[in-house]
Amino acid sequence: MRWGEIIRRLVLIPPTLVGVAVIVFVLLRVVPGDPIAMMIPPGASPADIDRLRAFYGLDQPILQQFITWFGQALRGDFGRSISVHQSVFELVLARLPATLELAALATLIAVVLGTIAAMIGIQLRGRRAEWVVDGGVGVFLAIPDFLWALILLLLFGVLIPLLPISGRIDPQIDVNFHSNFYLVESFLTGRFDIANALLHHMLLPALALALPFAALVARILKTSLAEAEDQDYAQIARARGFSRPAILLREVFPNALIPTVALGGVQISLLLGGTVLVERIFSYEGIGNMAIDAVINRDFPLIQGLILTFAVLFIALNLGVDLVVTLLDPRLRHG
């Protein structure tokens, strides 16, 4: 990726976000349902309803509503939540670190498990045991993350209660951090007891997100390893007397890593989307769980803020993956 390509993608980010904002804003107001009707108490007078509708700007035409909201969003003000009665920006900022830490842990687990499965599969290439590995990968890939969440919930929460199945941390633990990145800050400040408690709560939802991703990494990496192993440079290394494990690690693996990162990076975006249901199942306090509450309550400002947050994360991830692929592939670095 040359500098011109990077600049072009950066220039496209603002119009992309504007397009997402327009689509979401219009769709929320076209779909039937009135958020004011869901928050008013029984017996509220029509005057009270009109007053609330005017307070949230829902009495104006859609175009005027969008112009007002978009002007505020450009100043960093995404409005006030209808259901929680707090600033949308502050609500998202408070929950976002939990989701980012969960997604990072799930990605780490997926990469480790997927790489191990791919290396085992390529070592068994041409043997009957290879079919066992490929079959297992296919099974893990066929089960979606939310179903893995239910399976893990029943297995380790009901049948073998080894791990906590709800929340981000035990309520009785005093968490006094300067940021909402609890796991990162607990490691940096040496509070390993809190880090251990956090990991215990994160393990099941992270595994639910990681298992399908790990299967995809294993399948892509194993295929790339098999293709790279048949190339001339690998055959020359074998003719020089290098062992097969040494050839796989030194010659084959670096080249097979490029398509794995390129395709696996797309899956990270899907993994972030999967946090919505998985966080809900485990009552994990992230933006995914909050997104479902916002949809149930028809909380327009909060939904808009959350979707824009996910859009920014997706764009940043895709750009980051492209940069990593460029660093790994010398052909792209040199144009």
Side-chain angles (χ1 to χ4, degrees):
M1 182 188 301
R2 292 170 290 185
W3 286 109
E5 180 69 14
I6 296 176
I7 294 174
R8 185 182 70 84
R9 295 201 176 196
L10 292 175
V11 169
L12 287 175
I13 290 177
T16 301
L17 293 177
V18 171
V20 171
V22 171
I23 293 173
V24 172
F25 195 93
V26 173
L27 285 180
L28 284 177
R29 283 150 180 82
V30 171
V31 174
D34 186 1
I36 303 300
M38 300 184 67
M39 64 180 294
I40 58 175
S45 65
D48 294 331
I49 298 175
D50 294 337
R51 194 179 303 113
L52 275 176
R53 196 178 301 278
F55 177 78
Y56 288 102
L58 298 177
D59 59 334
Q60 301 174 353
I62 293 181
L63 180 59
Q64 183 61 42
Q65 290 183 40
F66 178 78
I67 293 174
T68 303
W69 174 80
F70 190 71
Q72 294 174 346
L74 290 177
R75 299 191 299 268
D77 181 10
F78 292 93
R80 189 174 180 84
S81 169
I82 295 175
S83 58
V84 188
H85 309 293
Q86 295 182 26
S87 167
V88 170
F89 183 79
E90 293 177 358
L91 287 171
V92 174
L93 200 62
R95 292 284 194 96
L96 180 59
T99 297
L100 292 179
E101 289 185 341
L102 179 63
L105 180 61
T107 302
L108 178 62
I109 294 173
V111 170
V112 172
L113 294 179
T115 302
I116 293 174
M119 297 304 293
I120 293 175
I122 199 65
Q123 286 286 353
L124 298 174
R125 187 183 182 190
R127 306 179 190 177
R128 291 184 178 179
E130 182 186 8
W131 292 93
V132 177
V133 177
D134 291 342
V137 168
V139 170
F140 278 79
L141 190 59
I143 301 177
D145 46 24
F146 70 89
L147 190 54
W148 276 117
L150 294 175
I151 293 172
L152 294 172
L153 183 68
L154 293 174
L155 183 60
F156 295 104
V158 179
L159 297 178
I160 312 173
L162 296 177
L163 294 169
I165 58 174
S166 65
R168 189 181 181 189
I169 195 169
D170 297 326
Q172 64 270 19
I173 296 180
D174 182 20
V175 180
N176 186 17
F177 287 126
H178 294 89
S179 71
N180 291 317
F181 287 95
Y182 292 166
L183 185 62
V184 174
E185 191 168 343
S186 61
F187 277 118
L188 293 177
T189 57
R191 303 177 67 178
F192 299 112
D193 55 335
I194 296 181
N196 183 60
L198 288 166
L199 288 172
H200 271 74
H201 281 78
M202 293 172 64
L203 187 56
L204 289 182
L207 271 176
L209 292 168
L211 290 177
F213 188 14
L216 180 65
V217 171
R219 174 167 291 183
I220 297 173
L221 183 56
K222 179 177 176 292
T223 302
S224 301
L225 287 170
E227 293 177 354
E229 192 179 21
D230 295 333
Q231 299 299 316
D232 293 338
Y233 60 85
Q235 302 296 333
I236 293 173
R238 185 177 294 108
R240 291 180 176 177
F242 290 99
S243 63
R244 187 163 182 252
I247 296 172
L248 287 174
L249 292 175
R250 296 179 184 178
E251 305 291 338
V252 175
F253 185 80
N255 291 289
L257 196 60
I258 298 172
T260 305
V261 172
L263 296 175
V266 179
Q267 185 66 22
I268 299 179
S269 300
L270 299 178
L271 183 146
L272 272 175
T275 58
V276 174
L277 289 178
V278 172
E279 286 183 0
R280 188 67 171 187
I281 292 172
F282 288 100
S283 300
Y284 188 80
E285 299 173 358
I287 61 173
N289 195 355
M290 186 167 61
I292 293 182
D293 288 331
V295 172
I296 292 175
N297 296 319
R298 299 282 295 171
D299 194 335
F300 289 170
L302 187 54
I303 295 173
Q304 291 160 187
L306 287 169
I307 292 180
L308 281 178
T309 301
F310 277 112
V312 170
L313 291 176
F314 292 162
I315 292 172
L317 280 172
N318 289 328
L319 184 60
V321 169
D322 289 339
L323 291 175
V324 171
V325 172
T326 301
L327 293 175
L328 292 175
D329 194 339
R331 295 170 299 181
L332 296 177
R333 285 203 307 270
H334 301 293

